[in-house]
Each structure stands twice: as C-alpha cells, then as structure tokens.
Amino acid sequence: MVEHGSGPTLELTVNGHRRVVADSGGTLLDLLREELGLTSAKDGCSPQGQCGCCTVLVDGGPRVACVTPARRVRGRSVTTIEGLDEDRRAAWADAFVSVGASQCGFCTPGIIMRLDAIAGDRAHAGEIELDQACRRAMLAHVCRCTGWQTISEAFVSVHRRGSQSKAPVDGAARRHRIKLESGGDQVMSGSTALGGGGFAADTVPQDALVAVLDNEGRWVVGERLSEARRRAGKVQGRRSTVNPAAPVEMPDGDFVAMLQTAWVDPAYLETDASWCEPGGRPSTPLANGGAFGAKTTGEIEQAARRLADRHGRPVVALYSREDALRLGPKRPPVAGGIRADGSGVIRLVRTPGAAEIVNRFAPRFEVEEVDVPGPPTSTALRAAVWAELAVLQSALGDRRTAIRLTGPSGAVVTAQDDGGHLVFTVAAGPALDPVVLRSYCIGAVHMGWSWATSEAMAVDESGVIHDLTVRSLGVLRAVDTPPIRIEVVEDPAASEPVNAGDTVFAAAAALAWRTHDFAPRFPLGSGLRLP
C-alpha cells in the first residue's frame, strides 16, 4: 500500500493495465465495480461468497471477488471478462448463444471466467471427461436459468474450438419465444452472456447515492455501496441449524397418494435493485431477468423514487441476499391428497388467487386455506398451485407409461426416465427458435426436479426465516443433475406458440415424485419433520 493524494491507495494490474486506486478497505468486488466501473463481475450474494457470479482471475486463477479483500491483490494481476482476449471472448459468447447456455446472463460472466481458467488443461480430453470437468467446476457456482447442461455443452464447444454450427437466427421468432418463456423482453445474446444484460445495478448514474436496508428494515444511504453497508451495520446472514419443516398439516382421507411441500425460495440470482432520478421513473428490477414470477411487488422501485426525491440526487436501492430471502414472495406450501376417482383435498397457505386456481384446474378438489406465520406468498411464481395439483394428479397414471401433462397454456409435455436420462417431449405450438425453446425447457426440468428433490428453507413456527444464504436453499448442483433430453414436437394443428416451461417444470416434479415412489414430502427423501 502506498500513500497517494489525500489517502492510501492500492496498486495492481487490471486487465493488463497498471491501476492505482483508493484503498477503501473494501473487497475486490467493490474495487472492480465502484472504483473501476467493471460491471461484468456481478453481486448475487455479497459478501457470502457462495453464488460465483463475481468470479474473476487473480494471477490466472479463479477467485470469488466479493470475499477477497482488495488489499490482498496488491501488486497482483486481476482479469475480468472485459480483459479476456477478444477472440476468446467471442468464442465463449458464440458457444453460449449457440446452445442456449445463457438466459438472463447474470451468472454467466463468472462461470465463463472459471471455465476459461480450466479450458487449456485438457488438450486430449473426450466429451465425457470435459462434461465431468465442467460440472465439477460448477460446484463453485449457482445458476437458476439454464439447468447446467447447456453450460457443459458450451464448454465442450469452446474446447473443440467452435464445433457448434451456427444456424441462421430469426430475430423476431427468437424474441417471441423468449417472451413466452421468460414473461418479459429478455435478450439472449453474446453480449448478455458476457455480462451486458443491462441489469439495474450495472446502469446506475455515476453520481447516484446507494441505499441499503439495516437490521431494522430502514433504508440507510451512502455515497458508495461499501459505505452504505458500513453505516447500516447489518449482521451477515448464515445457513440455519434449524431443520426445514412442512408448515401445513396433511388432510385426513382415504387417499391413494399424498403430498406435502416445504417453504422454498425462487432463488433468482440477481437480487432486487432499482435506481431513480428525483421526480423520475424508477428502473425495473427485472431488467434482463424474469425472477420466475418474483420481483412483482414494486416495493424497491417505490423506495428508490422516495429516496431520490428526499435527497435530490439519483439513488439506487439495493437488496442484499438476506433481504431478497426475507422479503421476496414464496410459492404457497401445500398439503394434499388424491383419491382413486380423481377427487381430492388440497390444503394450502392462504394466498390471493390460490382457491381460484384450484377451482379452475381441479374442480373435484376441496380447497382449504390456512393461516401460517411465514414469508409472503404469491401465485405469480412459476406454475404455483397448478403444478402442485398436476403432481398430485400424476399419481393416478400408469407407471409403465410416460407422464403426460397439458398445461394452462395448452402445451403438452410427456416425461419419462430412460435409464437415468430425463426425457421430455414438448409440444408448444411452433417452436419459433428450437435452441431457445430447448434452453428454457432444460432450465425448467432442472428447476422442477430440484424443487421436488432438494429444495427447502428453514422457517420457524413464528414465521421467521432462518436460511439466509443462497447455498442453503438447496438448488440442485450440476454434479447431481441427471442428463436431460428435450424432444420438440411441432404440432401442425397449433397455429399459435405457447409457453412450455411451466408445464415442463410440473412434469419434471411429477417424474421425480414417481421415481421416488410417491414419497409424501418434498423435498423427496429429505426426512422433513412434521409441524
């Protein structure tokens, strides 16, 4: 450390250039984003060091920047995705786009940096070895969109120097399919894969103040994120030692199958952010990410607008990972049973619109809403309530045949386990863009399988959430995700394309339930305790 100007500074090399920056006592991620404006390194859990979105190279090795003190890289060489050789950047971007390995693009810059660090070590590796190496490398990352498999395919493609063929892209058709699957105007492009998705926290005006929540839920403002966090004095969240519990009791009845679900979180990677000019319109926290139906309350936009007007300057309001977990909506936990004649009972946490969904899609089910202390719930989350009903109804099917679901959109999906490979046939009208449709379907399989088999969060009897880290949510790891095969069927009788992902999500959960012999609780085999 050297004295420079009005205070201490750090000297290091960033993307091949010598830089002398202020020593604020913060992290490497603070330095990159706040001092140097390098926004490809994303903040998905800071300072937990668990999601991998801020991965950069330090002296050629991957490092999670949010838990690396900036002083530790004094005199060393740091490379972000902006500093990769242009041909290398293009190779990664082309590979990720060609197989649909990037959707929102929030986690992919960190993933690409880690994969680039290991890509040159396997000159004679075969495809299986490359796939395994990629999945092991992904143990340091969380990705919610892609389902891991397409990332592995992109890694194999880059290793083989562009073996993926580039088919012509119909831009309008691609945008239409993406909007159907994501629910927004998401962009799937090379720039997005490299971190240029236009996320709210990346587009903040230079003179903006930063606002974060303190331990009492009050907004605290600072000139920079590091300063605001210090002023807030928030205690860092940790994974709980409390066991997750199924919050809704099972109904009584002569059921052939019963299902009880836990509290789960949407686990989107880009935490909520919005900035606003005084008197202006707040930026959307959705940006290039759909959050799977979350981020719909408008609360953070209102906070940004209110604070900007109060301070007379642009203000960006930011949720930490703990804030997103505590304040973000969850899918309502349920407990239900189905009888042999197709009638049943579903008991669920009271949620606006939930009873209407049951009455519409399962009129032979009795619905009972109960009041349970806990986080807010919403039916806006992916296929909420409908998917639970579809899973229950799948118990009446012939186990020797594929599971077949028709979703609310009209999409028809069949699902079966073919010797450890999860095979899904998808009919959702014109495919529009088969790469995009396959990408979203693989992601939906991963999400549905993960929800059924491994996801739960600890919420105590008073409704307080105890799991406050992204790793504690139980999102299925790449090494534990079965191979997935998507077979798209073009239906000549269907004139309009429809959403496929929600039906695929439900079919994946139903298939997981069948393979676990209809065990009564999600996550399957977890030994969740009863309330």
Side-chain angles (χ1 to χ4, degrees):
M1 183 170 63
V2 297
E3 295 294 328
H4 181 76
S6 59
T9 62
L10 296 172
E11 182 177 335
L12 68 161
T13 299
V14 180
N15 295 334
H17 301 283
R18 176 182 173 272
R19 306 301 296 261
V20 178
V21 297
D23 176 20
S24 64
T27 68
L28 175 56
L29 183 60
D30 296 333
L31 184 156
L32 294 172
R33 292 184 62 90
E34 297 181 7
E35 296 286 343
L36 302 180
L38 297 171
T39 58
S40 67
K42 309 298 185 190
D43 183 352
C45 70
S46 174
Q48 295 177 358
Q50 293 189 352
C51 73
C53 295
C54 64
T55 301
V56 297
L57 305 184
V58 176
D59 293 339
R63 183 74 63 88
V64 181
C66 76
V67 290
T68 300
R71 291 170 180 169
R72 193 171 293 173
V73 298
R74 182 176 64 248
R76 303 175 74 177
S77 176
V78 176
T79 305
T80 70
I81 208 164
E82 292 94 340
L84 288 183
D85 178 87
E86 191 58 38
D87 290 341
R88 197 68 176 168
R89 283 167 49 86
W92 283 114
D94 289 347
F96 269 62
V97 170
S98 68
V99 297
S102 175
Q103 290 177 21
C104 78
F106 191 82
C107 65
T108 49
I111 287 172
I112 288 172
M113 294 307 293
R114 187 172 299 277
L115 293 181
D116 195 74
I118 68 171
D121 298 338
R122 294 165 175 83
H124 304 291
E127 186 167 331
I128 293 177
E129 183 181 343
L130 290 171
D131 175 78
Q132 293 173 341
C134 178
R135 290 176 185 266
R136 286 194 299 271
M138 291 303 95
L139 288 171
H141 294 262
V142 177
C143 177
R144 195 54 155 168
C145 294
T146 67
W148 302 117
Q149 183 166 303
T150 49
I151 293 173
S152 176
E153 292 167 356
F155 178 65
V156 172
S157 175
V158 166
H159 186 83
R160 293 183 172 178
R161 301 189 179 182
S163 60
Q164 289 285 340
S165 60
K166 293 183 181 181
V169 173
D170 181 333
R174 170 163 287 194
R175 288 191 295 272
H176 192 177
R177 176 52 70 184
I178 289 174
K179 189 162 190 174
L180 285 170
E181 301 304 329
S182 70
D185 296 317
Q186 209 168 63
V187 176
M188 187 184 291
S189 68
S191 174
T192 300
L194 298 175
F199 303 103
D202 296 346
T203 58
V204 179
Q206 281 192 329
D207 61 337
L209 295 169
V210 182
V212 300
L213 291 170
D214 66 11
N215 290 314
E216 305 301 320
R218 296 174 299 222
W219 288 100
V220 177
V221 176
E223 289 288 339
R224 298 181 179 227
L225 175 59
S226 52
E227 177 188 339
R229 282 179 168 166
R230 282 196 297 272
R231 288 184 175 180
K234 180 173 287 189
V235 176
Q236 174 67 31
R238 294 292 181 226
R239 183 169 187 161
S240 173
T241 56
V242 176
N243 290 326
V248 181
E249 293 184 9
M250 287 283 204
D252 295 325
D254 54 338
F255 304 119
V256 296
M258 301 181 72
L259 178 65
Q260 190 177 39
T261 67
W263 289 106
V264 294
D265 189 82
Y268 49 85
L269 267 293
E270 180 207 7
T271 53
D272 308 50
S274 178
W275 61 267
C276 190
E277 303 268 5
R281 182 177 181 179
S283 66
T284 174
L286 290 170
N288 203 48
F292 313 106
K295 294 188 184 178
T296 57
T297 64
E299 290 181 6
I300 199 160
E301 297 102 309
Q302 295 165 18
R305 170 66 187 269
R306 185 172 65 252
L307 291 166
D309 290 345
R310 180 187 304 168
H311 290 274
R313 284 177 58 181
V315 173
V316 57
L318 301 171
Y319 279 175
S320 67
R321 174 55 58 183
E322 298 95 325
D323 298 328
L325 290 171
R326 288 190 177 110
L327 303 176
K330 320 301 178 197
R331 63 187 311 116
V334 309
I338 189 167
R339 303 182 183 94
D341 64 0
S343 65
V345 176
I346 187 165
R347 183 177 289 164
L348 48 82
V349 173
R350 191 179 307 280
T351 304
E356 289 82 355
I357 293 173
V358 178
N359 292 333
R360 179 182 176 189
F361 294 105
R364 300 189 65 195
F365 270 66
E366 301 171 44
V367 57
E368 301 175 4
E369 293 193 273
V370 297
D371 295 306
V372 173
T377 56
S378 171
T379 59
L381 273 69
R382 169 167 255 172
V385 182
W386 175 80
E388 286 82 347
L389 291 166
V391 171
L392 271 168
Q393 291 166 334
S394 72
L396 301 185
D398 186 343
R399 292 198 188 193
R400 296 168 297 179
T401 63
I403 290 171
R404 178 183 172 91
L405 295 183
T406 299
S409 69
V412 179
V413 174
T414 63
Q416 57 188 325
D417 183 342
D418 182 13
H421 287 69
L422 307 183
V423 181
F424 293 77
T425 301
V426 179
L432 300 178
D433 188 315
V435 170
V436 168
L437 180 55
R438 176 179 180 267
S439 172
Y440 279 94
C441 287
I442 289 175
V445 172
H446 174 265
M447 183 178 285
W449 195 268
S450 181
W451 168 48
T453 62
S454 65
E455 293 183 34
M457 62 189 306
V459 179
D460 68 22
E461 294 180 356
S462 65
V464 174
I465 298 173
H466 288 259
D467 279 336
L468 296 174
T469 71
V470 71
R471 289 282 176 177
S472 63
L473 302 177
V475 175
L476 197 65
R477 306 179 306 171
V479 294
D480 301 319
T481 303
I484 300 164
R485 187 164 76 243
I486 304 295
E487 299 172 353
V488 175
V489 176
E490 291 270 12
D491 184 357
S495 59
E496 293 294 327
V498 296
N499 170 277
D502 286 0
T503 312
V504 171
F505 166 81
L511 183 60
W513 195 36
R514 177 192 282 186
T515 61
H516 285 75
D517 293 322
F518 305 112
R521 299 183 189 92
F522 281 8
L524 297 158
S526 66
L528 271 185
R529 61 181 175 84
L530 292 172

Short mmCIF file of all heavy atoms in Angstrom, two decimals, residues 264-289:
data_model
loop_
_atom_site.label_atom_id
_atom_site.label_comp_id
_atom_site.label_asym_id
_atom_site.label_seq_id
_atom_site.Cartn_x
_atom_site.Cartn_y
_atom_site.Cartn_z
N VAL A 264 -40.06 -22.85 0.00
CA VAL A 264 -38.95 -22.77 -0.94
C VAL A 264 -38.85 -21.34 -1.46
O VAL A 264 -39.82 -20.58 -1.40
CB VAL A 264 -39.10 -23.75 -2.13
CG1 VAL A 264 -39.03 -25.19 -1.67
CG2 VAL A 264 -40.40 -23.50 -2.90
N ASP A 265 -37.69 -20.99 -1.98
CA ASP A 265 -37.46 -19.64 -2.50
C ASP A 265 -37.25 -19.71 -4.01
O ASP A 265 -36.68 -20.69 -4.50
CB ASP A 265 -36.21 -19.04 -1.84
CG ASP A 265 -36.04 -17.57 -2.18
OD1 ASP A 265 -36.70 -16.73 -1.51
OD2 ASP A 265 -35.27 -17.25 -3.10
N PRO A 266 -37.67 -18.69 -4.76
CA PRO A 266 -37.42 -18.71 -6.21
C PRO A 266 -35.94 -18.77 -6.57
O PRO A 266 -35.57 -19.25 -7.64
CB PRO A 266 -38.06 -17.41 -6.70
CG PRO A 266 -39.03 -17.02 -5.65
CD PRO A 266 -38.48 -17.54 -4.36
N ALA A 267 -35.08 -18.25 -5.68
CA ALA A 267 -33.62 -18.36 -5.83
C ALA A 267 -33.10 -17.72 -7.10
O ALA A 267 -32.15 -18.20 -7.70
CB ALA A 267 -33.17 -19.82 -5.75
N TYR A 268 -33.71 -16.61 -7.50
CA TYR A 268 -33.13 -15.86 -8.63
C TYR A 268 -31.80 -15.27 -8.19
O TYR A 268 -31.60 -14.92 -7.02
CB TYR A 268 -34.10 -14.78 -9.11
CG TYR A 268 -34.67 -13.89 -8.04
CD1 TYR A 268 -33.97 -12.76 -7.59
CD2 TYR A 268 -35.91 -14.16 -7.47
CE1 TYR A 268 -34.49 -11.94 -6.61
CE2 TYR A 268 -36.45 -13.33 -6.48
CZ TYR A 268 -35.74 -12.22 -6.06
OH TYR A 268 -36.26 -11.41 -5.09
N LEU A 269 -30.86 -15.15 -9.12
CA LEU A 269 -29.50 -14.74 -8.76
C LEU A 269 -29.34 -13.24 -8.65
O LEU A 269 -28.59 -12.74 -7.81
CB LEU A 269 -28.50 -15.31 -9.78
CG LEU A 269 -27.87 -16.65 -9.41
CD1 LEU A 269 -26.97 -16.53 -8.21
CD2 LEU A 269 -28.92 -17.71 -9.15
N GLU A 270 -30.01 -12.48 -9.51
CA GLU A 270 -29.87 -11.03 -9.46
C GLU A 270 -30.79 -10.50 -8.36
O GLU A 270 -32.01 -10.46 -8.51
CB GLU A 270 -30.26 -10.39 -10.79
CG GLU A 270 -30.13 -8.89 -10.80
CD GLU A 270 -31.07 -8.20 -11.79
OE1 GLU A 270 -31.94 -8.87 -12.38
OE2 GLU A 270 -30.95 -6.97 -11.94
N THR A 271 -30.22 -10.08 -7.24
CA THR A 271 -31.04 -9.55 -6.16
C THR A 271 -31.68 -8.23 -6.59
O THR A 271 -31.19 -7.54 -7.48
CB THR A 271 -30.21 -9.35 -4.89
OG1 THR A 271 -29.06 -8.56 -5.19
CG2 THR A 271 -29.76 -10.68 -4.32
N ASP A 272 -32.77 -7.87 -5.94
CA ASP A 272 -33.59 -6.74 -6.34
C ASP A 272 -32.80 -5.43 -6.29
O ASP A 272 -32.11 -5.15 -5.30
CB ASP A 272 -34.81 -6.60 -5.44
CG ASP A 272 -35.61 -7.91 -5.33
OD1 ASP A 272 -34.99 -8.95 -5.05
OD2 ASP A 272 -36.82 -7.87 -5.51
N ALA A 273 -32.93 -4.63 -7.34
CA ALA A 273 -32.28 -3.32 -7.40
C ALA A 273 -33.10 -2.41 -8.28
O ALA A 273 -33.71 -2.84 -9.27
CB ALA A 273 -30.85 -3.46 -7.97
N SER A 274 -33.13 -1.13 -7.92
CA SER A 274 -33.80 -0.13 -8.75
C SER A 274 -33.18 1.23 -8.46
O SER A 274 -32.85 1.53 -7.30
CB SER A 274 -35.30 -0.09 -8.44
OG SER A 274 -35.96 0.92 -9.21
N TRP A 275 -32.98 2.03 -9.49
CA TRP A 275 -32.48 3.38 -9.28
C TRP A 275 -33.44 4.38 -9.90
O TRP A 275 -34.22 4.06 -10.81
CB TRP A 275 -31.07 3.58 -9.82
CG TRP A 275 -30.88 3.37 -11.30
CD1 TRP A 275 -30.53 2.22 -11.93
CD2 TRP A 275 -31.05 4.37 -12.32
NE1 TRP A 275 -30.46 2.42 -13.28
CE2 TRP A 275 -30.76 3.73 -13.55
CE3 TRP A 275 -31.39 5.71 -12.32
CZ2 TRP A 275 -30.82 4.39 -14.77
CZ3 TRP A 275 -31.45 6.39 -13.53
CH2 TRP A 275 -31.16 5.74 -14.75
N CYS A 276 -33.38 5.61 -9.39
CA CYS A 276 -34.33 6.62 -9.85
C CYS A 276 -33.70 8.01 -9.73
O CYS A 276 -32.96 8.29 -8.79
CB CYS A 276 -35.61 6.56 -9.01
SG CYS A 276 -36.97 7.56 -9.65
N GLU A 277 -34.00 8.86 -10.70
CA GLU A 277 -33.67 10.28 -10.62
C GLU A 277 -34.77 10.98 -9.81
O GLU A 277 -35.91 10.51 -9.76
CB GLU A 277 -33.62 10.88 -12.03
CG GLU A 277 -32.66 10.20 -12.98
CD GLU A 277 -31.29 10.86 -12.96
OE1 GLU A 277 -31.10 11.78 -12.14
OE2 GLU A 277 -30.44 10.46 -13.76
N PRO A 278 -34.46 12.12 -9.19
CA PRO A 278 -35.51 12.87 -8.50
C PRO A 278 -36.67 13.19 -9.45
O PRO A 278 -36.46 13.72 -10.54
CB PRO A 278 -34.80 14.14 -8.03
CG PRO A 278 -33.35 13.76 -7.93
CD PRO A 278 -33.13 12.77 -9.03
N GLY A 279 -37.86 12.79 -9.05
CA GLY A 279 -39.03 13.05 -9.88
C GLY A 279 -39.15 12.15 -11.10
O GLY A 279 -40.06 12.33 -11.91
N GLY A 280 -38.24 11.18 -11.21
CA GLY A 280 -38.22 10.34 -12.40
C GLY A 280 -38.97 9.04 -12.22
O GLY A 280 -39.67 8.82 -11.23
N ARG A 281 -38.79 8.17 -13.20
CA ARG A 281 -39.42 6.86 -13.18
C ARG A 281 -38.38 5.82 -12.78
O ARG A 281 -37.33 5.73 -13.41
CB ARG A 281 -39.99 6.53 -14.56
CG ARG A 281 -40.71 5.20 -14.63
CD ARG A 281 -41.30 5.00 -16.01
NE ARG A 281 -42.03 3.73 -16.10
CZ ARG A 281 -42.64 3.32 -17.20
NH1 ARG A 281 -42.63 4.07 -18.29
NH2 ARG A 281 -43.27 2.17 -17.19
N PRO A 282 -38.63 5.03 -11.76
CA PRO A 282 -37.62 4.06 -11.30
C PRO A 282 -37.31 3.00 -12.37
O PRO A 282 -38.19 2.61 -13.14
CB PRO A 282 -38.27 3.42 -10.07
CG PRO A 282 -39.37 4.34 -9.67
CD PRO A 282 -39.84 4.99 -10.92
N SER A 283 -36.07 2.56 -12.38
CA SER A 283 -35.69 1.46 -13.28
C SER A 283 -36.31 0.16 -12.78
O SER A 283 -36.55 0.00 -11.58
CB SER A 283 -34.17 1.32 -13.35
OG SER A 283 -33.65 0.91 -12.09
N THR A 284 -36.54 -0.76 -13.69
CA THR A 284 -37.14 -2.03 -13.30
C THR A 284 -36.11 -2.95 -12.66
O THR A 284 -34.99 -3.05 -13.17
CB THR A 284 -37.79 -2.74 -14.49
OG1 THR A 284 -38.23 -4.05 -14.08
CG2 THR A 284 -36.81 -2.91 -15.65
N PRO A 285 -36.46 -3.64 -11.59
CA PRO A 285 -35.54 -4.63 -11.02
C PRO A 285 -35.50 -5.90 -11.86
O PRO A 285 -34.65 -6.76 -11.61
CB PRO A 285 -36.14 -4.90 -9.64
CG PRO A 285 -37.59 -4.61 -9.79
CD PRO A 285 -37.68 -3.48 -10.78
N LEU A 286 -36.38 -6.02 -12.84
CA LEU A 286 -36.37 -7.22 -13.68
C LEU A 286 -35.28 -7.15 -14.72
O LEU A 286 -34.61 -8.14 -15.02
CB LEU A 286 -37.74 -7.40 -14.35
CG LEU A 286 -38.87 -7.78 -13.40
CD1 LEU A 286 -40.21 -7.70 -14.11
CD2 LEU A 286 -38.65 -9.17 -12.84
N ALA A 287 -35.05 -5.98 -15.33
CA ALA A 287 -34.02 -5.81 -16.35
C ALA A 287 -34.05 -6.99 -17.33
O ALA A 287 -35.05 -7.19 -18.00
CB ALA A 287 -32.64 -5.66 -15.70
N ASN A 288 -32.98 -7.79 -17.39
CA ASN A 288 -32.97 -8.93 -18.32
C ASN A 288 -33.32 -10.24 -17.63
O ASN A 288 -33.16 -11.30 -18.20
CB ASN A 288 -31.59 -9.07 -18.98
CG ASN A 288 -31.67 -9.83 -20.30
OD1 ASN A 288 -32.51 -9.53 -21.13
ND2 ASN A 288 -30.79 -10.80 -20.49
N GLY A 289 -33.82 -10.17 -16.40
CA GLY A 289 -34.17 -11.38 -15.67
C GLY A 289 -35.62 -11.38 -15.26
O GLY A 289 -36.16 -10.35 -14.84
#
